[in-house]
Amino acid sequence: MTYVSIRPERHSYELIKESGEFVINLVTKDLTYACDFCGVRSGRDVDKFTEMHLTAKKGEKVDCPIILESPVNIECKVKEIVPLGSHHMFLAEVVSVSVSEKYFDKTGKFHLNRSKPICYSHGGYFTLGEQVGSFGYSVRKKDTPKTGTKQRKRRSGKNSGRNNKRERMNF
Ligand SMILES: Cc1cc2nc3c(=O)[nH]c(=O)nc-3n(C[C@H](O)[C@H](O)[C@H](O)COP(=O)(O)O)c2cc1C
């Protein structure tokens, strides 16, 4: 299961509400410009695929298109729409996931990092930085990677609560 939250005034809102389907396309460094454009222009006014030279392909299990340039396409069917004020939350079942072959190694392991995924933080787009841990490293007894040790010491240190004052943000 997954969800997206969309303002009712968006063009996408009506499309997804009527069809009951959508696709989440993960964004890479190379796709950042297109992502921003698609995030500030409405499909009511422009064809975003044409403008950004993106390739549309019909999904495996949904009728709406996936973006072929994206390394991971997550096809979703809406199960419930929850009105939450400014945005309505579309709770959805993941019905198919397509993954670009070029990020698999010879052993069949998928390396999403090699696609240079980006994240959005407070108005900026960022590539990922250094790896700072791995799943379960905090409780692993043997072979604890060095990346975890410093952070753990700092957290449990005597002054770990210092500089921890909070500012209230208006949004
Ligand atoms: C990085 C980014 C994230 C966004 N996230 C959301 C979101 O979660 N929900 C939403 O309703 N709009 C979001 N927006 C705004 C819409 O993408 C924007 O209004 C867009 O023009 C809607 O296109 P449409 O009218 O074709 O649906 C986001 C925009 C950007 C740039």
Side-chain angles (χ1 to χ4, degrees), residues 14 18 25 34 58 78 81 89 102 116 170:
E14 280 310 315
E18 272 169 32
N25 300 280
K58 194 200 146 318
V78 177
I81 303 174
M89 182 165 68
K102 62 181 171 186
K116 300 198 178 78
N170 298 316

Short mmCIF file of all heavy atoms in Angstrom, two decimals, residues 14 18 25 34 58 78 81 89 102 116 170:
data_model
loop_
_atom_site.label_atom_id
_atom_site.label_comp_id
_atom_site.label_asym_id
_atom_site.label_seq_id
_atom_site.Cartn_x
_atom_site.Cartn_y
_atom_site.Cartn_z
N GLU A 14 -8.69 15.27 -10.46
CA GLU A 14 -9.86 14.77 -11.19
C GLU A 14 -9.54 13.49 -11.95
O GLU A 14 -10.31 12.54 -11.96
CB GLU A 14 -10.36 15.84 -12.18
CG GLU A 14 -11.21 16.93 -11.54
CD GLU A 14 -12.35 16.39 -10.66
OE1 GLU A 14 -13.04 15.44 -11.09
OE2 GLU A 14 -12.51 16.89 -9.54
N GLU A 18 -11.37 10.00 -11.11
CA GLU A 18 -12.23 9.35 -12.11
C GLU A 18 -11.73 7.98 -12.53
O GLU A 18 -12.49 7.03 -12.64
CB GLU A 18 -12.35 10.24 -13.36
CG GLU A 18 -13.49 11.23 -13.24
CD GLU A 18 -13.46 12.29 -14.33
OE1 GLU A 18 -13.02 11.97 -15.46
OE2 GLU A 18 -13.87 13.42 -14.04
N ASN A 25 6.43 7.66 -10.34
CA ASN A 25 7.67 7.47 -11.09
C ASN A 25 8.81 8.08 -10.29
O ASN A 25 8.81 9.30 -10.05
CB ASN A 25 7.58 8.16 -12.45
CG ASN A 25 6.45 7.61 -13.30
OD1 ASN A 25 6.58 6.56 -13.92
ND2 ASN A 25 5.32 8.30 -13.31
N ALA A 34 12.75 18.07 -15.40
CA ALA A 34 11.42 17.65 -15.84
C ALA A 34 10.46 17.53 -14.66
O ALA A 34 9.30 17.92 -14.74
CB ALA A 34 11.51 16.32 -16.59
N LYS A 58 2.21 2.50 -21.75
CA LYS A 58 1.07 2.05 -20.95
C LYS A 58 1.56 1.15 -19.80
O LYS A 58 2.46 0.34 -19.99
CB LYS A 58 0.08 1.27 -21.82
CG LYS A 58 -1.28 1.05 -21.16
CD LYS A 58 -2.03 -0.08 -21.81
CE LYS A 58 -2.89 -0.90 -20.88
NZ LYS A 58 -2.43 -1.28 -19.58
N VAL A 78 -6.45 3.11 -6.58
CA VAL A 78 -6.97 3.82 -5.41
C VAL A 78 -7.98 2.94 -4.66
O VAL A 78 -8.87 2.35 -5.25
CB VAL A 78 -7.65 5.14 -5.84
CG1 VAL A 78 -8.26 5.86 -4.64
CG2 VAL A 78 -6.66 6.05 -6.57
N ILE A 81 -10.35 7.48 -0.68
CA ILE A 81 -9.94 8.89 -0.71
C ILE A 81 -10.34 9.53 0.62
O ILE A 81 -11.52 9.51 0.99
CB ILE A 81 -10.61 9.65 -1.89
CG1 ILE A 81 -10.28 8.96 -3.22
CG2 ILE A 81 -10.14 11.11 -1.92
CD1 ILE A 81 -11.02 9.54 -4.42
N MET A 89 -6.14 12.59 0.73
CA MET A 89 -5.19 11.48 0.66
C MET A 89 -5.78 10.32 -0.15
O MET A 89 -6.87 9.84 0.15
CB MET A 89 -4.82 11.00 2.06
CG MET A 89 -3.80 9.89 2.06
SD MET A 89 -3.07 9.62 3.68
CE MET A 89 -4.46 8.99 4.56
N LYS A 102 18.92 -1.66 -16.23
CA LYS A 102 20.33 -1.25 -16.18
C LYS A 102 20.88 -1.06 -14.78
O LYS A 102 22.08 -0.89 -14.62
CB LYS A 102 20.58 -0.02 -17.05
CG LYS A 102 19.86 1.23 -16.70
CD LYS A 102 20.23 2.32 -17.71
CE LYS A 102 19.35 3.53 -17.49
NZ LYS A 102 19.53 4.55 -18.47
N LYS A 116 21.09 7.56 -9.30
CA LYS A 116 21.19 8.90 -8.70
C LYS A 116 19.80 9.48 -8.36
O LYS A 116 19.37 10.50 -8.92
CB LYS A 116 21.94 9.86 -9.62
CG LYS A 116 23.37 9.42 -9.92
CD LYS A 116 24.20 10.59 -10.46
CE LYS A 116 25.62 10.20 -10.72
NZ LYS A 116 25.82 9.45 -11.96
N ASN A 170 5.81 28.35 10.82
CA ASN A 170 4.47 28.60 10.31
C ASN A 170 4.37 28.07 8.90
O ASN A 170 5.20 28.37 8.07
CB ASN A 170 4.17 30.10 10.29
CG ASN A 170 4.21 30.66 11.69
OD1 ASN A 170 3.68 30.05 12.61
ND2 ASN A 170 4.86 31.79 11.85
#
